[in-house]
């Protein structure tokens, strides 16, 4: 039991030294702010501008605004000092591709929950702010900012 604890402490020390712990914290902060922005655009549109079964249409403008914010802060702060930065449009194109996959994921969550299952328009925010950020973090770290 003691060896397991020592191994865990050593592993945490290596993760902290590698910078990944700080990166995850920064990513979570920017991601949390992006989630607030996404929600602030999505909820009014889904609640008052669209019929409940069409709430998935609110995903696109909400995601666009959140992505614009996220790219600036993730590239300059969350992933600062990690990997390389392309001078040309390549990195931005990769980032947009990853975010587009996240947008599709959120649209599917929203369509299934509000359209197919008839759930409330706020419910898709749960997987949108938990599952999608984890998926996009992994892809961003490996492909975009790796």
């Amino acid at each position: 039991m003691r060896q397991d604890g020592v191994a865990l402490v050593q592993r945490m020390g290596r993760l902290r030294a590698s910078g990944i712990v700080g990166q995850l914290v920064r990513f979570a902060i920017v991601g949390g702010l992006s989630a607030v922005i996404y929600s602030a655009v999505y909820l009014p549109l889904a609640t008052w501008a669209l019929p409940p079964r069409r709430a998935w249409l609110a995903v696109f403008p909400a995601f666009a605004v959140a992505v614009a914010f996220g790219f600036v802060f993730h590239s300059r702060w969350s992933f600062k000092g990690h990997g390389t930065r392309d001078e040309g449009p390549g990195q931005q194109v990769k980032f947009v591709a990853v975010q587009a996959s996240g947008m599709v994921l959120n649209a599917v969550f929203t369509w299934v929950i509000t359209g197919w299952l008839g759930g409330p328009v706020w419910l898709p925010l749960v997987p949108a702010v938990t599952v999608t950020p984890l998926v996009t973090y992994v892809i961003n770290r490996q492909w975009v900012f790796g």
Side-chain angles (χ1 to χ4, degrees):
M1 183 72 159
R2 176 152 161 57
Q3 288 178 334
D4 290 340
V6 170
L8 179 62
V9 168
Q10 288 173 338
R11 181 162 184 190
M12 288 302 296
R14 284 191 304 272
L15 286 173
R16 192 171 42 239
S18 74
I20 197 167
V21 173
Q23 189 179 80
L24 278 168
V25 169
R26 292 188 304 271
F27 185 85
I29 291 168
V30 172
L33 292 171
S34 292
V36 169
I37 291 167
Y38 177 86
S39 300
V41 175
Y42 167 83
L43 275 175
L45 290 174
T47 302
W48 297 301
L50 297 166
R53 292 194 176 264
R54 300 273 188 220
W56 62 272
L57 291 170
V59 168
F60 303 104
F63 218 91
V65 173
V67 163
F69 169 82
F71 180 75
V72 170
F73 287 93
H74 283 313
S75 65
R76 293 193 175 136
W77 191 52
S78 299
F79 294 104
K80 182 180 180 179
H82 174 77
T84 60
R85 299 295 178 269
D86 294 339
E87 291 298 321
Q91 191 169 36
Q92 291 88 345
V93 170
K94 288 178 182 179
F95 183 82
V96 170
V98 172
Q99 297 312 313
S101 69
M103 181 175 61
V104 169
L105 191 57
N106 280 2
V108 169
F109 288 144
T110 305
W111 176 77
V112 167
I113 292 169
T114 63
W116 195 48
L117 298 175
V121 297
W122 62 264
L123 192 54
L125 289 174
V126 175
V129 302
T130 56
V131 176
T132 302
L134 291 174
V135 170
T136 58
Y137 171 79
V138 169
I139 299 170
N140 274 315
R141 179 164 167 73
Q142 296 301 316
W143 187 50
V144 179
F145 300 108

